Every structure is written in structure tokens, then in C-alpha cells.
Amino acid sequence: MIYSSTENIFILYNMFFLDDEILNYSKKNTTKPEKVLLDLERETKYKILMPRMMSTPLMGSFLKTISKMINPKYILEIGTYTGYSAICLASGLKKGGHLHTIEINPELKKFCSKYFKQAELEEKITLHIGNALDVIPELNLKFDIIFIDADKKNYCNYYELALKKIRKGGYILIDNVLWSGKVIKEVEKNDIETLEIKKLNEKIQQDNRVENILVPLRDGIMICKVL
Ligand SMILES: C[S@@+](CC[C@H](N)C(=O)[O-])C[C@H]1O[C@@H](n2cnc3c(N)ncnc32)[C@H](O)[C@@H]1O
């Protein structure tokens, strides 16, 4: 189909501006994050490298809502970064419940611990410093929610490990499955991360062990209910 230049401008406007307007409207009509999350967000942005890895407030609210709906006893998070999503997910834990989160970068430990304490969650969250591929097999628990948000090149490995650790009827959530829209473009052979994310999306879509929905929120979040 060929578009006139006015139509092209309109399409571009919709792609880049209307989406932002919609996003802002959604943010305006969503419960605001609590002070601890605002502080964590601010400090991450001025002290920590690559703050765009952190969940946005809207994604955080989404994770919080999902967790409160499931009301889990045990949550596993793969990829802590500065702890934003861990705090959001932990807010839905059952009384006596616990969240385990795994981060490979030891330099983030002090930062996360400070905020887990500030959120009064230090008794409910265990931060494991190490490679998730080594840590996950050692966790002797069945989880109600597993949130995958670490290195993309291992996404298929994390998904298979998660299936071993999730209880029947539990939920596996996987962040960044749209990868800034790269999943629908032609992919370079050496773009390992995009190739891996596409491989996982296709694998999940064929997988009769789960029922899934890809939610196009922010960078895309896949939700799999384990059958
Ligand atoms: C996108 S960030 C996580 C963001 C966080 N979940 C949030 O929403 O605020 C990904 C994190 O995974 C960590 N990571 C990367 N490879 C890892 C591995 N093999 N094991 C554990 N953590 C890893 C990175 O150091 C980084 O902090």
C-alpha cells in the first residue's frame, strides 16, 4: 500500500506521539508509586549505570497488581538490578511468603539491601548474588511466580529452568519480549539477544505446557500460566 506524505506524517505521529499521550494518560490514571520506589528510582538514575534497565513505574504497578491478584507464597526473580521490580512483586506476598531474587553484579548488593530495608521487606526478600544459571537449580522450592528479567541470551535456558521450579498453575512472567520492536524486523545473524527472544516467543507459542499472553506493555511482557 502506498501512502501520501500527509498520511505518512499521520502514521509517524501515531507511532511516536499518540503512544506517548496514551502512556501519559495511563500513568495519570494509575495509583502513584510509594515514596520508597520514588527514592529508589531517583537514586538509581543518578548513581547507577544503565538506569533504563530498571522497571518503569507503570511496569512496576503492573507487576504489583499481578502479584496482588495471585497472592503468592513464593516468588523467584531472575535479574534484580536495583530492586524496583522485587519490591513491587513482594508487595503481593502472602503472610509468611518470601521472594528470592538473583543478581550477578555484587556491586548492587548494598544498594538493594538499603531499599529492601526502607521498604520494610528485608525479612521477606533474599538477594542471591551469583549467576542465575547456577543459583536456580540450588533453590529447593516450588514458586507461584517466576519473573525472568536477566541477560537475554539465556532466556530459553531461564524458561526451561523456570518450568522445573514453578508449581502447577503458577505463572512465569518474562520481560522485554518485544525488545524495542526488533522482534518484528529482519534480524542480523550476530544479534544474539533478538534471535534468542524471538526463539523463546516462538517456543512458548508452541508449548503445550503453558497458556500464554504477550502483553504489549512497555517493552512487552509475556505471561505464561503453567498447566
Ligand atoms: C533488566 S535488569 C533487571 C531489572 C529489574 N528486574 C527491574 O525491573 O528493575 C537485568 C539484571 O540482570 C542481571 N544479570 C545479567 N546476567 C545475569 C545472570 N546470569 N545471573 C543473574 N543476574 C544477571 C544484570 O546484572 C542486571 O542487573
Side-chain angles (χ1 to χ4, degrees):
M1 192 179 291
I2 297 167
Y3 296 105
S4 71
S5 55
T6 331
E7 282 167 332
N8 276 333
I9 289 168
F10 183 69
I11 289 164
L12 282 175
Y13 177 84
N14 277 344
M15 277 169 67
F16 296 108
F17 298 102
L18 197 59
D19 279 359
D20 263 1
E21 263 180 52
I22 295 275
L23 198 63
N24 286 336
Y25 184 81
S26 304
K27 281 183 206 160
K28 254 198 233 163
N29 289 283
T30 298
T31 304
K32 300 281 167 282
E34 49 273 52
K35 185 176 179 304
V36 58
L37 289 173
L38 295 173
D39 291 349
L40 185 157
E41 187 188 2
R42 198 176 318 108
E43 199 175 344
T44 299
K45 282 181 178 164
Y46 76 81
K47 277 197 184 153
I48 311 288
L49 283 177
M50 292 192 283
R52 66 180 293 279
M53 290 215 287
M54 174 174 51
S55 279
T56 58
L58 198 60
M59 178 58 94
S61 298
F62 183 77
L63 293 173
K64 224 190 260 185
T65 305
I66 295 272
S67 185
K68 287 183 177 179
M69 284 163 72
I70 298 170
N71 189 218
K73 177 113 202 243
Y74 295 115
I75 303 173
L76 172 62
E77 177 183 64
I78 307 169
T80 321
Y81 188 51
T82 54
Y84 196 102
S85 49
I87 292 176
C88 293
L89 286 165
S91 68
L93 282 170
K94 258 189 186 40
K95 201 162 181 267
H98 205 88
L99 180 143
H100 291 261
T101 181
I102 311 170
E103 173 54 54
I104 201 164
N105 181 357
E107 288 174 17
L108 293 168
K109 187 175 181 185
K110 203 170 151 202
F111 189 100
C112 290
S113 304
K114 172 178 140 183
Y115 279 100
F116 294 159
K117 190 161 184 224
Q118 198 173 312
E120 298 181 3
L121 288 168
E122 75 264 47
E123 304 291 320
K124 290 188 174 182
I125 298 181
T126 300
L127 171 60
H128 302 262
I129 297 293
N131 188 331
L133 294 172
D134 303 326
V135 177
I136 300 167
E138 286 175 7
L139 297 171
N140 204 11
L141 284 169
K142 282 283 184 191
F143 295 93
D144 305 290
I145 298 178
I146 299 182
F147 179 47
I148 300 176
D149 193 18
D151 51 324
K152 312 307 161 199
K153 65 182 187 303
N154 275 308
Y155 259 29
C156 288
N157 290 330
Y158 293 140
Y159 176 69
E160 285 301 331
L161 284 171
L163 281 167
K164 291 195 178 120
K165 295 289 173 182
I166 194 93
R167 73 156 166 81
K168 213 170 177 325
Y171 290 84
I172 300 174
L173 314 179
I174 306 151
D175 201 11
N176 307 109
V177 289
L178 292 177
W179 207 227
S180 306
K182 287 187 185 174
V183 287
I184 57 164
K185 305 265 164 59
E186 205 168 309
V187 188
E188 302 279 333
K189 274 198 193 117
N190 59 357
D191 184 353
I192 294 163
E193 293 176 320
T194 309
L195 288 170
E196 179 77 4
I197 291 169
K198 279 187 79 166
K199 187 169 148 195
L200 180 58
N201 288 338
E202 282 157 24
K203 180 187 174 86
I204 291 172
Q205 189 58 20
Q206 307 295 326
D207 194 346
N208 55 17
R209 295 171 292 180
V210 300
E211 204 173 83
N212 58 297
I213 174 170
L214 197 167
V215 183
L217 174 66
R218 199 192 169 215
D219 203 18
I221 180 159
M222 181 73 89
I223 303 180
C224 306
K225 182 182 166 76
V226 179
L227 303 174

